[in-house]
Amino acid sequence: MKLQQLRYIWEVARHDLNVSATAEWLYTSQPGVSKQIRMLEDELGVQIFLRSGKQLTTITPAGEAIITLAGKILGEVDNIKRIAREFSDQKRGSLSIATTHTQARYVLPPVIKAFAAKYPEVSLHMHQGSPLQIAELASKHNVDFAIATEALELFDNLIMLPCYRWNRSIIVPADHPLCREPVLTLEAVAAYPLVTYVFGFTGRSQLDDAFRTRGLSPRVVFTATDADVIKTYVRLGMGVGIVASLAYEPAQDEGLVALDASHLFGWSVTKIGFSRNTLLRGYMYEFIRAFAPHLTRELVEQAAATDDKEALEELLRGIELPDY
């Protein structure tokens, strides 16, 4: 059994059983990948994949268990490499982050700028996507950190640490009737067509819950993953916008007004998550601390060493989160 063979079956599973795409990803040949998988199956005496002709069609039950263990082994191999880098050069390496547009555009720039100045020889890579995509990237060791509000809890092998609380604002043109409401209510907001986030993005579930609790069925006429796009369509008169308050910038959003809606919706918590098998290098602890100052290296190490979910919740329960 070779590490290369484990890498092949892991990547084939990750590429939806597409051997051609896997070979391209690994910069090798398709016949070479197929041959090594066959050799591994022969050695183990079980089929990892079922086939129809030359095509892989599904993963066998034995294959599911083997691929899961292969992923853990490959994760530990990556950790061994990181240990070597940690001791050879503690300020050189790479840091990959998966996050949403809101985090990348409004929250992370000053953190990234300061981090890059302190660690100029660490290359930074940012991936944007839906919360589910972000969490999956971290769960599969394809990125170091996932930063999001939704979906991280769906993956048991992710350690999730709370960073800050945030709420929402109603975005309207300066002459909109809602600006004249003495007290903003959900009923008043629901009277207008809404422009907001796609479901599954940036606390959208809490927004929907708030209206549902009051027996309201607002008319959502346009959704987007990007707060800037939402504001663009509010300017076009499509409807009333609902975005994270941190996504409103008075200097940049001329002609629009942000009406505080924190009394209408529950608070959301943005978290940073990483795989339980990840070996955090010194500069990674520094990045976490720069993004969320209350997450000290000692606290992060304690959280990473805690296998029990309830014990982890108890460890994090006393943290007082800042509001963004």
Side-chain angles (χ1 to χ4, degrees), residues 47-48 58-70:
Q47 276 191 295
I48 297 173
T58 190
I59 303 172
T60 67
E64 292 281 3
I66 291 168
I67 290 169
T68 297
L69 285 176

Side-chain angles (χ1 to χ4, degrees), residues 70-278:
K72 293 179 180 179
I73 291 169
L74 293 170
E76 292 303 323
V77 169
D78 288 341
N79 284 338
I80 291 171
K81 293 177 181 178
R82 282 187 171 178
I83 288 172
R85 290 196 299 267
E86 180 82 21
F87 282 92
S88 63
D89 191 343
Q90 297 189 28
K91 292 193 174 184
R92 184 191 300 269
S94 66
L95 177 61
S96 54
I97 303 160
T99 191
T100 62
H101 166 84
T102 299
Q103 304 297 327
R105 166 69 177 81
Y106 295 101
V107 183
L108 283 170
V111 177
I112 295 291
K113 182 179 179 180
F115 180 85
K118 186 172 183 179
Y119 295 97
E121 295 189 78
V122 174
S123 58
L124 291 159
H125 309 278
M126 189 173 293
H127 306 258
Q128 288 179 239
S130 71
L132 185 60
Q133 291 169 332
I134 290 163
E136 188 171 12
L137 283 171
S139 178
K140 292 184 175 180
H141 306 283
N142 292 324
V143 296
D144 298 307
F145 295 137
I147 299 175
T149 299
E150 311 269 7
L152 296 184
E153 71 281 353
L154 299 178
F155 293 84
D156 292 336
N157 68 326
L158 290 183
I159 297 169
M160 301 175 297
L161 304 175
C163 299
Y164 62 85
R165 303 193 318 159
W166 60 271
N167 216 303
R168 298 149 192 81
S169 288
I170 307 299
I171 305 296
V172 293
D175 59 351
H176 196 278
L178 284 179
C179 297
R180 297 189 290 274
E181 290 284 332
V183 179
L184 195 64
T185 65
L186 284 174
E187 287 76 9
V189 174
Y192 297 92
L194 301 185
V195 181
T196 190
Y197 298 108
V198 173
F199 187 82
F201 266 78
T202 319
R204 171 66 193 272
S205 58
Q206 286 188 306
L207 185 153
D208 292 340
D209 289 344
F211 285 109
R212 191 180 301 111
T213 299
R214 297 297 294 262
L216 300 171
S217 299
R219 186 163 64 96
V220 178
V221 296
F222 184 88
T223 63
T225 62
D226 183 326
D228 292 333
V229 172
I230 292 170
K231 289 182 286 187
T232 294
Y233 285 87
V234 171
R235 287 191 179 92
L236 292 177
M238 288 281 293
V240 169
I242 305 179
V243 301
S245 296
L246 55 88
Y248 175 76
E249 298 176 316
Q252 303 295 326
D253 296 323
E254 187 176 355
L256 296 179
V257 175
L259 307 176
D260 178 42
S262 60
H263 61 294
L264 301 180
F265 304 107
W267 288 80
S268 294
V269 176
T270 291
K271 299 177 181 179
I272 187 166
F274 55 90
S275 172
R276 190 173 295 279
N277 294 326
T278 298

